[in-house]
Amino acid sequence: MRIVTIRMPHVHTASIGVFVRSGSAHESRLDNGISHFVEHMVFKGTLMRDARRINLDAERLGAEVNAHTDKDHTGYTMHGRPGDLPQLVDMLADLVRHPTFPAEELERERQVLLHECTEDEDDPLSTAFKLFDKACWGTHALAQSVIGPRRNIERFTRDALVDYLRRQYTGANVVVGAAGDIDVPAFEAAVTAAFGSMPAGSENLVAAPVYAGGVATKRLSGSSQAHLVLGFPLPGLSAGCPAGVLAAAVFGEGMSSPLMDRIREQRGLAYYTACSADVLDIAGQFVVEASTAPEQLDELLAETLKLLKTQAQRVEAEDLERAKAQLEVRRLRSHERPYRRLEDAVLDLYAIGRVRDSAEWCSTIAAVPAETVRAAFERLLAAGPTIALAGELPRAAGERVRTILASS
């Protein structure tokens, strides 16, 4: 088990996190959704505390406690006073090491998760992203959603949760960290006392996926717009290649970007559109998302593909300068928040085995030349797009997309 400490003396609070290399990408098809279920259930009782006491003990210290599950990790966090770090460590250790998964709480939480599943199914943009992931990664576990399918939520047993926690929550996969105005020796001593006896286990490693690509569509009643998610594969964080992240910023970061300027300002094809790079340790995605009227969907897609081809021919100097500055400011702003800085450090540890500071990250981005970014666009187009549509769709939407792709 590893410990990360980030001293931020100007911050008057402390953020502490327990990060586990366990998420939907580490699940089998039959287990899909269990990481998220476990994350919910650890708050329902431990050997030391019932559900109310978990929250009360934190709130008596003025602390906030929360958690989240992602594809590549699960995180448990508390924010409080630096002097209370030993107690916060003890409470988080109790959560992740000694949950009891009470049977009556499990059934109640199962209903909560089913409600969450229904909301997710009713959300057209969320549906489009799930279709996009499946089309991108095929049968690889990275294609699975975090919440998992309804049928799995309905059948997970207490024994299944206990067994999954035992296998996944081991020292090799856990990082405990703190950021803020912290006493580093005192924090390390508290972590060693609370987590030192955790079984070592082995790393939860997943092979990189093979990109599939393709077109997926789903009509949803109750939506008046068509929601588009278009994208391409990117190397994972472990590859140390920032060109894809920079390409996404060049293409769609900010109102002056080619995507926003052309699609929204000049053509009025969408109120909302954005481009981002979602990069995990083993793989990444260059993602364009947009919502538009069904009758404008064909034009929106054709114009977006045309813009991408333009970037593969030439990246303008002013767009590259803008994108680098935007990425730098966004990184620096996020690292003014202790928890965000802590999580980035942990994801670095998982992917490359060390922690990069903001200066290193920014200098790496600044050193990327225009030709490298242009070539990144060229590789994206060569890989072929993945396109997912959900919501109110025109007739034969999938065939129309394929016709546009063939003509472009």
Side-chain angles (χ1 to χ4, degrees), residues 14-15 25 40 45-46 96 99 103 116 130 182 276 324 350 357 390:
S15 294
H40 274 241
T46 69
V96 302
E116 184 178 349
K130 286 187 289 185
I182 59 175
S276 60
K324 288 180 177 181
Y350 285 145
D357 61 19

Side-chain angles (χ1 to χ4, degrees), residues 41-58 91 94-95 98-102 104-105 108:
M41 281 301 300
V42 301
F43 289 94
K44 300 306 175 181
T46 69
L47 290 178
M48 300 291 292
R49 299 170 175 87
D50 61 17
R52 181 176 182 276
R53 178 60 62 177
I54 288 170
N55 291 306
L56 180 59
D57 283 359
M91 282 185 271
D94 191 33
L95 280 177
H98 308 298
T100 54
F101 303 125
E104 67 280 5
E105 293 283 0
R108 277 195 288 268

